[in-house]
Coordinates of all heavy atoms in Angstrom, one line a residue:
E986 N -2.7 -57.8 -46.4 CA -3.5 -56.6 -45.9 C -2.7 -55.9 -44.9 O -1.9 -56.5 -44.0 CB -4.7 -57.2 -45.2 CG -5.7 -57.9 -46.2 CD -6.9 -58.4 -45.5 OE1 -6.9 -58.5 -44.2 OE2 -7.9 -58.8 -46.2
T987 N -2.8 -54.6 -44.9 CA -2.0 -53.7 -44.1 C -3.0 -52.7 -43.4 O -3.9 -52.2 -44.0 CB -1.0 -52.8 -44.9 OG1 -0.1 -53.7 -45.6 CG2 -0.2 -51.9 -44.0
E988 N -2.8 -52.5 -42.1 CA -3.6 -51.6 -41.2 C -2.7 -50.7 -40.5 O -1.6 -51.1 -40.0 CB -4.5 -52.4 -40.3 CG -5.5 -53.4 -40.9 CD -6.3 -54.1 -39.9 OE1 -6.2 -53.8 -38.7 OE2 -7.0 -55.0 -40.4
Y989 N -3.1 -49.4 -40.4 CA -2.4 -48.5 -39.6 C -3.4 -47.5 -38.8 O -4.3 -47.0 -39.4 CB -1.5 -47.6 -40.5 CG -0.8 -46.5 -39.8 CD1 0.2 -46.7 -38.9 CD2 -1.2 -45.2 -40.0 CE1 0.9 -45.7 -38.2 CE2 -0.6 -44.1 -39.4 CZ 0.5 -44.4 -38.5 OH 1.1 -43.4 -37.8
Y990 N -3.1 -47.4 -37.5 CA -4.0 -46.6 -36.7 C -3.0 -45.6 -36.0 O -2.0 -46.0 -35.3 CB -4.7 -47.4 -35.7 CG -5.5 -48.5 -36.3 CD1 -5.1 -49.8 -36.5 CD2 -6.9 -48.2 -36.7 CE1 -5.9 -50.8 -37.1 CE2 -7.7 -49.1 -37.2 CZ -7.2 -50.4 -37.5 OH -8.0 -51.4 -38.0
K991 N -3.3 -44.3 -36.1 CA -2.6 -43.3 -35.3 C -3.2 -43.0 -34.0 O -4.4 -42.9 -33.9 CB -2.6 -42.0 -36.2 CG -1.7 -40.9 -35.7 CD -1.7 -39.8 -36.6 CE -0.8 -38.6 -36.1 NZ 0.6 -39.0 -35.8
D992 N -2.4 -42.9 -33.0 CA -2.9 -42.7 -31.6 C -3.8 -43.7 -31.1 O -4.9 -43.4 -30.6 CB -3.5 -41.3 -31.5 CG -2.4 -40.2 -31.7 OD1 -1.2 -40.4 -31.5 OD2 -2.8 -39.2 -32.3
A993 N -3.5 -45.0 -31.5 CA -4.4 -46.0 -30.9 C -4.2 -46.3 -29.5 O -3.1 -46.0 -28.9 CB -4.1 -47.4 -31.7
E994 N -5.2 -46.8 -28.8 CA -5.2 -47.0 -27.4 C -5.5 -48.5 -27.1 O -6.5 -49.0 -27.6 CB -6.2 -46.1 -26.6 CG -5.7 -44.6 -26.6 CD -6.5 -43.8 -25.6 OE1 -7.2 -44.4 -24.7 OE2 -6.5 -42.6 -25.8
F995 N -4.7 -49.1 -26.2 CA -5.0 -50.4 -25.7 C -5.0 -50.3 -24.2 O -4.0 -50.0 -23.6 CB -3.9 -51.4 -26.2 CG -3.9 -51.6 -27.6 CD1 -3.1 -50.8 -28.5 CD2 -4.7 -52.6 -28.3 CE1 -3.1 -50.9 -29.9 CE2 -4.7 -52.8 -29.6 CZ -3.9 -52.0 -30.4
N996 N -6.1 -50.6 -23.5 CA -6.3 -50.5 -22.1 C -6.8 -51.9 -21.5 O -7.5 -52.6 -22.1 CB -7.4 -49.4 -21.8 CG -6.9 -48.1 -22.3 OD1 -5.8 -47.7 -22.2 ND2 -7.9 -47.4 -22.9
L997 N -6.3 -52.1 -20.3 CA -6.7 -53.3 -19.5 C -7.3 -52.8 -18.2 O -6.7 -52.1 -17.5 CB -5.5 -54.2 -19.3 CG -5.7 -55.5 -18.5 CD1 -6.7 -56.4 -19.2 CD2 -4.4 -56.2 -18.2
F998 N -8.6 -53.3 -18.0 CA -9.2 -52.9 -16.8 C -9.5 -54.2 -16.0 O -9.7 -55.3 -16.5 CB -10.6 -52.2 -17.1 CG -10.3 -50.9 -17.8 CD1 -10.2 -50.8 -19.2 CD2 -10.3 -49.7 -17.1 CE1 -10.0 -49.6 -19.8 CE2 -10.1 -48.5 -17.8 CZ -10.0 -48.4 -19.1

Side-chain angles (χ1 to χ4, degrees):
E986 297 177 346
T987 302
E988 298 178 6
Y989 173 69
Y990 302 94
K991 185 175 180 60
D992 296 330
E994 291 190 19
F995 294 90
N996 300 314
L997 179 63
F998 296 86

